[in-house]
Amino acid sequence: MTEVAFGFALLIEFLIKVVTDRFMFTPNAYIHSVWNVIDFFILAGLLVNALCVLKFIMLFDATRTSFQSLIISGASHILDATVLAVLYMIPYAVWGLNLFAGKMNTCNDNNVSGLSDCINKYTTTVYGNAFSFVARQVWDHLLPSTMFSFDNFKSSLLILFEIMSLEGWIDAMGVATSITGTNQQLSTNASEYNALFFVIYNLLGGVIILTLFVS
């Protein structure tokens, strides 16, 4: 039972990561992380074992009956739990849209105050101050490790779907707590109370969704 639960958790995590970041050919693709590759091989091994067990189950009438009552007949309940999980995310997606839309952008030049000033060029450095060059100021989303946005309902729902797997929520929360206003440059810990959105979502989501699937 423990192995089944572990395999199911790995499968859900795999699906979430592939849906949000794609499997390959994207900057944050699933296979770009060595840990994801390891998880993939573990999941593949578990699926092979599951197929072997399934073949064994089909050999006996008693096991076939139990399998049908637990898995096949229970598929509708699993689907119901999945739908309820999505419905749980929708209010938070709308809430996040109202809280953060248009406020998570930042300029790559930290010396500007907002969008109106982020229109020229600036001098930046790499390797400390060893090398400097002129770059164009760009007003865009800050991407610590994953792509996310609350600027529209689809993007809001997508990042919440990823956060449900406990991936990327620290980065999203870090940007949210740096909000200073619409079209204003981000400032670290300027809006610390925004962290409550992610904490509440994770705590309640973990309890509600786990309870749904266990039930």
Side-chain angles (χ1 to χ4, degrees), residues 1-30:
M1 185 63 184
T2 303
E3 185 176 350
V4 173
F6 177 68
F8 184 74
L10 276 180
L11 179 61
I12 294 298
E13 181 186 25
F14 170 76
L15 293 175
I16 290 175
K17 289 183 177 180
V18 169
V19 168
T20 54
D21 295 329
R22 303 296 183 267
F23 187 74
M24 61 176 62
F25 305 127
T26 59
N28 298 309
Y30 181 85

Side-chain angles (χ1 to χ4, degrees), residues 23-161:
F23 187 74
M24 61 176 62
F25 305 127
T26 59
N28 298 309
Y30 181 85
I31 61 172
H32 287 181
S33 170
V34 64
W35 300 111
N36 287 340
V37 173
I38 293 173
D39 286 345
F40 180 77
F41 280 109
I42 293 174
L43 178 61
L46 290 174
L47 290 176
V48 170
N49 289 336
L51 291 176
C52 294
V53 172
L54 184 61
K55 180 62 178 178
F56 179 77
I57 288 174
M58 296 297 106
L59 295 177
F60 305 99
D61 291 336
T63 54
R64 281 202 301 267
T65 302
S66 299
F67 179 81
Q68 181 176 358
S69 61
L70 290 175
I71 304 299
I72 299 177
S73 300
S76 61
H77 299 297
I78 296 175
L79 180 61
D80 290 342
T82 303
V83 171
L84 288 174
V86 173
L87 291 177
Y88 168 78
M89 290 189 292
I90 290 177
Y92 283 93
V94 176
W95 187 16
L97 186 63
N98 284 282
L99 285 177
F100 308 130
K103 298 179 181 179
M104 286 187 160
N105 291 354
T106 188
C107 186
N108 56 346
D109 181 3
N110 294 325
N111 296 319
V112 304
S113 60
L115 175 60
S116 59
D117 299 326
C118 190
I119 55 176
N120 297 309
K121 297 180 180 180
Y122 75 109
T123 301
T124 185
T125 59
V126 294
Y127 302 112
N129 294 320
F131 179 72
S132 63
F133 61 95
V134 176
R136 185 178 182 83
Q137 292 176 332
V138 177
W139 184 260
D140 203 351
H141 292 289
L142 181 66
L143 303 176
S145 65
T146 184
M147 299 177 65
F148 62 87
S149 167
F150 284 91
D151 290 347
N152 55 67
F153 179 76
K154 177 184 176 181
S155 298
S156 182
L157 193 63
L158 192 62
I159 182 58
L160 291 178
F161 186 65

Side-chain angles (χ1 to χ4, degrees), residues 100 104 170-180 186-196 198:
F100 308 130
M104 286 187 160
I170 295 294
D171 293 329
M173 184 177 68
V175 176
T177 56
S178 301
I179 289 174
T180 57
L186 299 178
S187 178
T188 303
N189 296 330
S191 303
E192 294 180 332
Y193 53 84
N194 284 337
L196 291 174
F198 299 92

